[in-house]
Structure formats: C-alpha cells, structure tokens
Amino acid sequence: MIRSSTLVLAVVLVVFARGAVADDDPRATAQQHIAKATVLHEQRHWRQALEELNTAYTLDPQPELLYATAQLHVALGDCPRAITFYPRHIDSNPTAA
C-alpha cells in the first residue's frame, strides 16, 4: 500500500498558500475539509479522508486534489478507481508545485 501522507500534506500547504480568508468563501471551506482529510489520513482513516477531499474538490476544484484523491483510492486498494483520477489530474494542467 502506498502511503500518501506527504502528498496530502503538500496539498494542504498549497491550498493554505492561496490565502482564502473569508468564512463564507468556498476556498476557505475547502481548506477546512483538506485539513480534516490530512488528520484523517494520518490516522489511516482513508475512506473518511477521501470523503473530505471530495467535498473540498466540490467547493474548490484544484488539480492537486485529483491526484490526492487517486492516492487515497490506492490506499483503499481500489486501483481501478484510482486510475480514473490520474488522467483527470493531468488533463487539468496542474502546476509544477
């Protein structure tokens, strides 16, 4: 099983660097879900972390979240589902960061 804690942490740092501050800002709410996903991932609660990332992506569809979602599917042992997220990530033209 591939550990993706570094990846999820990197996603959190990228999102926080974007600097959304308003409570009613969807990006700020997405950041809260990503933070929850990070904690859940560290606790190895893959499914709950995936739910949080899905919510975050709905609020603020960032390419990095697609990759992190794929990694969580791998952690859950659902590689066929993970494979569907990698091309979406690439197609979204993610930044080098």
Side-chain angles (χ1 to χ4, degrees):
M1 188 176 311
I2 297 174
R3 293 198 53 184
S4 57
S5 60
T6 303
L7 172 66
V8 174
L9 181 58
V11 169
V12 171
L13 294 175
V14 167
V15 172
F16 279 108
R18 291 187 176 194
V21 293
D23 287 337
D24 60 347
D25 180 358
R27 292 181 300 151
T29 304
Q31 288 177 2
Q32 293 170 356
H33 286 283
I34 293 168
K36 288 179 189 176
T38 301
V39 171
L40 289 165
H41 183 275
E42 290 170 356
Q43 297 171 348
R44 302 183 77 138
H45 297 294
W46 315 123
R47 186 147 323 274
Q48 295 93 332
L50 181 60
E51 290 170 9
E52 292 294 336
L53 282 187
N54 287 336
T55 300
Y57 186 80
T58 300
L59 294 165
D60 187 14
Q62 302 169 49
E64 297 86 1
L65 296 179
L66 293 170
Y67 188 83
T69 297
Q71 292 296 95
L72 281 169
H73 280 292
V74 170
L76 287 165
D78 190 358
C79 292
R81 181 79 172 133
I83 290 170
T84 67
F85 284 91
Y86 292 119
R88 288 176 58 194
H89 174 255
I90 293 167
D91 291 342
S92 68
N93 297 316
T95 62

